[in-house]
Amino acid sequence: MGRDVIIACDFSSKEEVLNFLDKFQGKKPFVKIGMELYYAEGPSIVKEIKARGHKIFLDLKLHDIPNTVKKSMAVLSRLDVDICNLHAGGTKRMMEAALEGLTRPDGTRPLLIAVTQLTSTDQESMENDLLIREPIDKVVMHYAKNAADAGLDGVVCSPLEAQKVHETCGKEFLTITPGVRFADGDIGDQKRVMTPAEANKIGSDYIVVGRPITAAADPVAAYERCLNEFVG
Ligand code: C5P
């Protein structure tokens, strides 16, 4: 899989997400299904969107004991999505177990990506709530390295961290980056943002874009613009 734009389909019902995807007619954008939609509609929404021909990033961020994550990943592997994820904070052993569970009997599997520290976690909350006293950048890189050592395919990170992740974990290690906005667009609640063109320049492999596309007056035009700016 090469560089691509993944649309964050942050909707809470089947009706909303299918209405949105219907606008794309012949086009089949890569979509991200998060907890909100998955918990509302269950695995059937994943199967339905897959059957329509979309690639799917199933963003459920698993984090539990290794055995539970392994078994849950085995169940998710049957949904035939393209990307799954988990929290690197669950340790290397959890990530290795996840990879085992995700690998199908024929040896194939979806890509497995780790979340390092959530971007909602800042230095202060990491120190006070989690008692982690290292600088957050160092923690993020350490978690990324753990994910690479465990055999995962990449991390979700801020576009500002993508270059450093590639330097630390290798060029092939994927960076999936949210926090993307058009130069003339609304930032909303994202704090550190980049345009699709900037994300391309610093080496993001995939960008995850939600509201700049889902809330646009013309979502298909916004998606095309994003794709043109990012992939060229
Ligand atoms: O609407 P917006 O473009 O901000 O959506 C970005 C998507 O990426 C959302 O689904 C959000 O949950 C997700 N995300 C993020 N920051 C992270 C990880 C995931 O914005 N660090």
Side-chain angles (χ1 to χ4, degrees):
M1 295 202 281
R3 286 194 154 165
D4 210 345
V5 173
I6 302 178
I7 304 179
C9 287
D10 294 324
F11 300 105
S12 55
S13 74
K14 172 175 165 170
E15 196 192 355
E16 279 176 276
V17 71
L18 296 184
N19 277 344
F20 171 75
L21 292 176
D22 281 345
K23 296 190 184 15
F24 288 82
Q25 302 200 331
K27 299 182 191 82
K28 302 290 175 189
F30 204 137
V31 301
K32 178 169 89 73
I33 297 177
M35 292 184 213
E36 187 184 0
L37 185 59
Y38 190 80
Y39 291 150
E41 300 291 349
S44 66
I45 191 65
V46 177
K47 290 178 192 157
E48 184 153 355
I49 293 175
K50 188 78 199 172
R52 288 174 164 228
H54 296 269
K55 287 185 178 165
I56 297 176
F57 171 14
L58 188 57
D59 181 17
L60 300 181
K61 300 187 181 72
L62 276 69
H63 189 167
D64 208 317
I65 59 170
N67 187 53
T68 300
V69 170
K70 179 176 169 177
K71 287 180 168 172
S72 306
M73 284 293 183
V75 174
L76 294 182
S77 76
R78 290 182 225 132
L79 285 178
D80 198 24
V81 298
D82 300 274
I83 304 179
C84 287
N85 67 353
L86 46 62
H87 275 284
T91 74
K92 268 196 224 177
R93 203 154 67 82
M94 188 201 80
M95 290 192 268
E96 286 162 1
L99 211 50
E100 264 178 57
L102 198 60
T103 307
R104 304 182 187 102
D106 66 0
T108 63
R109 64 167 175 82
L111 293 173
L112 185 58
I113 300 295
V115 174
T116 57
Q117 284 290 352
L118 291 169
T119 43
S120 51
T121 306
D122 58 12
Q123 185 72 38
E124 194 188 344
S125 53
M126 206 180 62
E127 287 186 14
N128 294 341
D129 300 354
L130 308 180
L131 287 185
I132 300 172
R133 308 229 183 265
E134 299 284 349
I136 195 160
D137 300 5
K138 192 174 165 192
V139 175
V140 166
M141 288 311 143
H142 182 67
Y143 283 20
K145 186 75 175 35
N146 283 350
D149 290 348
L152 268 66
D153 302 292
V155 286
V156 179
C157 63
S158 143
L160 298 149
E161 294 159 354
Q163 202 167 349
K164 187 95 186 284
V165 168
H166 281 136
E167 284 164 19
T168 309
C169 303
K171 248 181 58 191
E172 304 304 314
F173 194 67
L174 300 172
T175 52
I176 301 189
T177 60
V180 174
R181 292 292 180 264
F182 292 120
D184 52 4
D186 220 354
I187 292 185
D189 54 2
Q190 295 281 9
K191 294 210 164 55
R192 301 179 300 154
V193 298
M194 263 193 196
T195 65
E198 286 165 343
N200 171 312
K201 218 183 271 171
I202 53 95
S204 289
D205 295 289
Y206 295 90
I207 53 174
V208 174
V209 187
R211 288 158 294 179
I213 295 173
T214 56
D218 183 344
V220 180
Y223 169 70
E224 294 288 344
R225 177 181 173 193
C226 207
L227 206 56
N228 283 336
E229 287 190 19
F230 182 58
V231 184

